[in-house]
Amino acid sequence: MLTNLRKHTALLLSLAVVCATVALVPQTASAAAWAPSVTADLPGSLTGYRACPNTSAADAGFTDVSDASVNCIKMFGITNGKTATTYDPSASVTREEMALFLSRMYTPAGLAAGTGTFTAFTDITGLAAATQTAINSIAASGITVGTSTGTYSPADNVTREDMAVFLNRMFDLLKDNDTGNNDGTAVALSTIGTIANGGYNFTDIAGISHEGLRAVVRLYDVGVITGAGIGATYRPADDITRLEMATMMTGVLNHTQARPAGVSIQTPLTGA
């Protein structure tokens, strides 16, 4: 009888080990998929089309910066500059300013005004009417949920993590008009750059929010996050600068219907 008991005990222990091993497999695979790439992980959906191809966006006329992305968002009316002649590229962006920039992207990107309901923000009543409209607009679209219930915190600076989250939420509302990426048809942007491969090179984003992590990886994968950050660090806690903002916004516009006046068809750029 004791022998049978030992046999049963051994069998149960074996089953327990097998079950534990099976349960761990998906978790381990998932964790591995989200680890930074050991080798260079290149963005998987770089658009070959441009919202402002070549020199279609005239120089914005700012004396403190000469940058194609700044020229592009100026052409589409997304920025007016800090003054008529300055852009202030190294300055941080407040959440109040961010709402204006994002809401001005609606028309060139082909985005309809939001119709969703949200808890009214109690800390924006002293702002200009146009700014309040912009904040409420991005809230109705789901691009912002505020910093807490009923609070938008307009004076706070936008971090690089915040920027990725804002643009990623906007991505979900848009159509991808870079048909070269989609077999000749416009599809929902939410269907591309879905971080299927989980690859990224940034070594400093594992500890940020889950939504922030997904946003950074996805925007990297569609080529919105470019430049020195690729293969190094993303610096999610740093304040986004006005120049960095212009670069990322232009990256989003490249995937939308935004095109210079009179331009509707482009030849994709090889290796873009």
Side-chain angles (χ1 to χ4, degrees):
M1 185 168 195
L2 182 59
T3 300
N4 289 336
L5 179 60
R6 287 175 177 170
K7 288 181 178 179
H8 286 305
T9 302
L11 179 61
L12 289 173
L13 286 173
S14 298
L15 288 172
V17 170
V18 171
C19 290
T21 302
V22 171
L24 284 172
V25 168
Q27 296 175 10
T28 303
S30 176
W34 281 98
S37 177
V38 176
T39 57
D41 183 81
L42 299 177
S45 182
L46 283 176
T47 175
Y49 292 80
R50 295 288 180 265
C52 299
N54 303 320
T55 57
S56 58
D59 187 89
F62 299 128
T63 60
D64 56 352
V65 65
S66 178
D67 181 84
S69 294
V70 174
N71 294 341
C72 190
I73 65 172
K74 175 66 164 61
M75 181 181 76
F76 285 117
I78 295 170
T79 185
N80 297 315
K82 274 295 185 70
T83 69
T85 58
T86 61
Y87 180 71
D88 204 2
S90 61
S92 300
V93 181
T94 66
R95 289 173 59 86
E96 176 182 352
E97 294 169 329
M98 192 76 253
L100 289 168
F101 292 135
L102 289 169
S103 64
R104 291 170 186 163
M105 284 182 72
Y106 280 32
T107 297
L111 182 62
T115 57
T117 58
F118 61 95
T119 301
F121 299 121
T122 60
D123 60 345
I124 66 172
T125 53
L127 303 179
T131 304
Q132 292 187 51
T133 298
I135 293 172
N136 290 331
S137 175
I138 64 172
S141 297
I143 295 172
T144 185
V145 293
T147 54
S148 64
T149 303
T151 304
Y152 181 71
S153 304
D156 288 0
N157 287 338
V158 176
T159 67
R160 286 172 57 84
E161 178 182 356
D162 296 334
M163 187 72 192
V165 170
F166 283 140
L167 292 183
N168 192 46
R169 290 172 180 166
M170 179 174 277
F171 239 43
D172 283 335
L173 304 175
L174 297 168
K175 295 291 185 182
D176 183 16
N177 279 259
D178 179 7
T179 55
N181 280 338
N182 311 312
D183 300 322
T185 58
V187 299
L189 275 170
S190 58
T191 66
I192 69 169
T194 52
I195 58 177
N197 64 4
Y200 63 92
N201 291 334
F202 305 120
T203 60
D204 60 347
I205 64 173
I208 65 178
S209 69
H210 182 65
E211 184 179 13
L213 177 63
R214 291 181 62 85
V216 171
V217 174
R218 182 192 191 191
L219 293 181
Y220 169 85
D221 197 46
V222 295
V224 171
I225 296 173
T226 61
I230 292 182
T233 56
Y234 180 68
R235 299 177 287 112
D238 288 3
D239 293 340
I240 194 86
T241 67
R242 287 170 60 88
L243 181 56
E244 292 169 337
M245 175 206 71
T247 300
M248 291 179 69
M249 282 190 158
T250 300
V252 172
L253 289 174
N254 287 341
H255 282 279
T256 71
Q257 68 177 23
R259 297 291 181 264
V263 176
S264 59
I265 299 176
Q266 298 177 47
T267 300
L269 302 176
T270 302

